[in-house]
Amino acid sequence: MEITAFNPRAINSLKEMGFEIQSSPGSNPTYEIKYAKDRSAIIAFSKIFSDEINPKIDFAAVMTCDHADKNCPFIPGAEVRLPLKYEDPKLFDDTELERQKYRERSIQISSELFYVFGMVQKQVAQT
């Protein structure tokens, strides 16, 4: 894997969805993404899986694109590796459909992950 930069179009899509986002300058900006007033911000930036900010054990690795799924067949310390592949909206960059496709993908990913984590929460509560 390589360090690149978080796609600014994805950041714009998150802002349009209502997230509060602060960023640092640079070629690989760090974004503080707030999704609730009473929760800590999510720190997002392009990184390799061994970056010090990432957990080392007991986490789920969610692979959301073909590239990550193919290039990261094993994630050390992950309890589970989940390939959830989505059509990358960057296929529509610089077209009249760009904004629409990023919004569609944001809604799809959030809806599906909301469902998945709801099911995980039910399973944990039953054990």
Side-chain angles (χ1 to χ4, degrees), residues 44-62:
F45 59 98
S46 180
K47 57 193 167 294
I48 57 174
F49 65 84
S50 60
D51 191 276
E52 66 182 35
I53 197 171
N54 287 337
K56 304 299 178 228
I57 58 170
D58 300 329
F59 64 94
V62 181

Side-chain angles (χ1 to χ4, degrees), residues 63-116:
M63 316 309 281
T64 60
C65 70
D66 287 334
H67 185 268
D69 188 39
K70 289 176 193 165
N71 292 294
C72 299
F74 173 72
I75 306 295
E79 287 290 314
V80 64
R81 183 184 173 284
L82 303 168
L84 299 174
K85 296 181 242 176
Y86 296 98
E87 181 179 313
D88 195 335
K90 74 180 178 183
L91 298 171
F92 298 93
D93 285 1
D94 300 319
T95 72
E96 62 185 39
L97 295 175
E98 178 182 292
R99 187 173 177 204
Q100 173 189 336
K101 293 301 181 178
Y102 275 87
R103 181 174 175 78
E104 286 174 2
R105 201 61 59 239
S106 291
I107 291 169
Q108 179 187 13
I109 292 169
S110 63
S111 298
E112 291 177 9
L113 289 179
F114 183 78
Y115 173 78
V116 167

